[in-house]
């Protein structure tokens, strides 16, 4: 994620969450930045305040969504349905590194972000020797419809004969309802060009998160991310209708308590507040 006209610099949030994944054992030291180390203390103070005021753990929420997306994606790869991935707004997440370690050349992975973030990610992974023909970093602006930084342009660099997944973790709630719908529509259109298409994201339902505790939690979170957060969908039924309206044939909202990989995390309040959205063409 970047700020300042969407291209000027890497945001503090990206550095802080990058260090969070390392601290939780989900990243490599290659993706740790000095800024991330410095910001982690403030991040932990803020999340501690949020938990005191709301009873909700931001770390549990972020961990549940991260591990949950990994779990659903990994099953699709193991089953042979997906062999290449585009991750939008990947930030300093190590998902690409982890999955490439696990699946090797069975998987092609393209991490994308706005120019400043993409350049930083490319520098860090390149210095550690973690990039190659099957693991790349490209510039992508999810809000543009065409041009070299569009999703369509990135997708055109992939093999059209292979099953493809697109991931947006921690992105959609930064977008206005209009922009979110446009991004979902573009993702569905792009995935239609592959024999199997899978879209994965974190999703938050209004009916599960509308209370005083979540209001307090949301207010603190917006201070940290320095922007407004949006909850786009009221219910699971609405999610299905909305995504099918954009062209997805099958929509599943996984509860974190139902996925074996996130069942324990969901026992902590916060880890149970996110759904894992799985939409297929």
């Amino acid at each position: 994620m970047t700020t300042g006209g969407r291209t000027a610099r890497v945001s503090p949030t990206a550095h802080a969450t990058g260090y969070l994944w390392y601290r939780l054992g989900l990243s490599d030291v290659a993706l740790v930045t000095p800024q991330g180390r410095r910001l982690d203390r403030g991040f932990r103070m803020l999340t501690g305040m949020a938990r005191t005021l709301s009873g909700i753990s931001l770390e549990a929420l972020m961990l549940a969504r991260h591990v949950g997306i990994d779990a659903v994606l990994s099953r699709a790869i193991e089953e042979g349905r997906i062999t290449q991935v585009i991750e939008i707004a990947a930030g300093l997440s190590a998902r690409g590194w982890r999955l490439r370690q696990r699946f090797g050349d069975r998987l092609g992975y393209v991490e994308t972000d706005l120019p400043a973030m993409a350049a930083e990610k490319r520098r860090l992974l390149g210095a550690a020797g973690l990039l190659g023909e099957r693991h790349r970093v490209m510039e992508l602006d999810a809000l543009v419809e065409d041009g070299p930084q569009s999703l369509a342009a990135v997708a055109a660099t992939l093999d059209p004969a292979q099953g493809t997944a697109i991931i947006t973790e921690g992105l959609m709630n930064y977008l206005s309802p209009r922009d979110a719908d446009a991004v979902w529509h573009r993702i569905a259109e792009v995935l239609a060009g592959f024999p199997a298409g899978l879209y994965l994201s974190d999703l938050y339902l209004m009916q599960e998160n509308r209370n005083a505790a979540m209001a307090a939690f949301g207010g603190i979170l917006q201070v940290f991310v320095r922007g407004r957060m949006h909850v786009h969908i009221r219910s699971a039924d609405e999610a299905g209708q909305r995504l099918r309206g954009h062209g997805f044939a099958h929509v599943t909202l996984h509860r974190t308590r139902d996925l074996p990989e996130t069942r324990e995390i969901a026992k902590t309040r916060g880890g149970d507040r996110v759904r894992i959205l799985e939409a297929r063409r």
Side-chain angles (χ1 to χ4, degrees), residues 164-166 186-199 248 279 281:
T164 300
I166 295 176
R186 280 193 286 275
I187 290 172
E189 284 188 328
V190 164
L191 288 176
F194 297 93
L198 172 67
Y199 169 55
F248 291 99
R281 285 287 304 182

Side-chain angles (χ1 to χ4, degrees), residues 9-135:
R9 62 185 177 89
V10 179
S11 79
T13 309
H15 289 291
T17 54
Y19 191 80
L20 171 67
W21 301 135
Y22 176 72
R23 178 159 54 83
L24 295 177
L26 294 172
S27 187
D28 184 80
V29 69
L31 290 173
V32 171
T33 65
Q35 300 96 315
R37 290 184 185 275
R38 289 197 302 268
L39 289 165
D40 186 60
R41 178 176 297 181
F43 177 74
R44 282 188 281 179
M45 289 177 59
L46 190 65
T47 57
M49 182 188 306
R51 191 163 188 174
T52 298
L53 293 177
S54 68
I56 296 167
S57 168
L58 176 58
E59 286 195 8
L61 184 152
M62 293 180 69
L63 186 60
R65 81 185 193 196
H66 202 69
V67 174
I69 290 172
D70 277 3
V72 178
L73 177 58
S74 294
R75 276 192 277 281
I77 297 169
E78 288 166 350
E79 293 166 1
R81 293 186 286 117
I82 297 300
T83 56
Q84 50 192 12
V85 176
I86 298 172
E87 183 166 2
I88 300 175
L92 290 174
S93 161
R95 176 176 286 117
W97 166 76
R98 286 198 316 275
L99 292 180
R100 286 279 298 146
Q101 274 200 325
R102 179 175 176 181
F103 295 105
D105 285 341
R106 292 167 55 191
L107 181 69
Y109 208 98
V110 182
E111 307 199 42
T112 73
D113 216 305
L114 295 173
M117 183 72 257
E120 177 73 351
K121 187 73 167 284
R122 192 181 298 114
R123 181 184 70 81
L124 294 170
L125 290 175
L130 298 177
L131 292 177
E133 184 179 346
R134 299 285 283 164
H135 185 186

Side-chain angles (χ1 to χ4, degrees), residues 139-141 144-154:
E139 296 179 3
L140 185 150
D141 185 340
V144 301
E145 293 187 12
D146 50 37
Q149 292 184 20
S150 67
L151 176 59
V154 172

Side-chain angles (χ1 to χ4, degrees), residues 259-278:
L259 293 172
E261 295 86 351
T262 54
R263 192 167 292 142
E264 286 300 312
I265 306 169
K267 292 179 180 178
T268 299
R269 195 177 181 199
D272 61 341
R273 297 305 173 106
V274 58
R275 298 282 195 108
I276 306 303
L277 169 63
E278 177 184 6

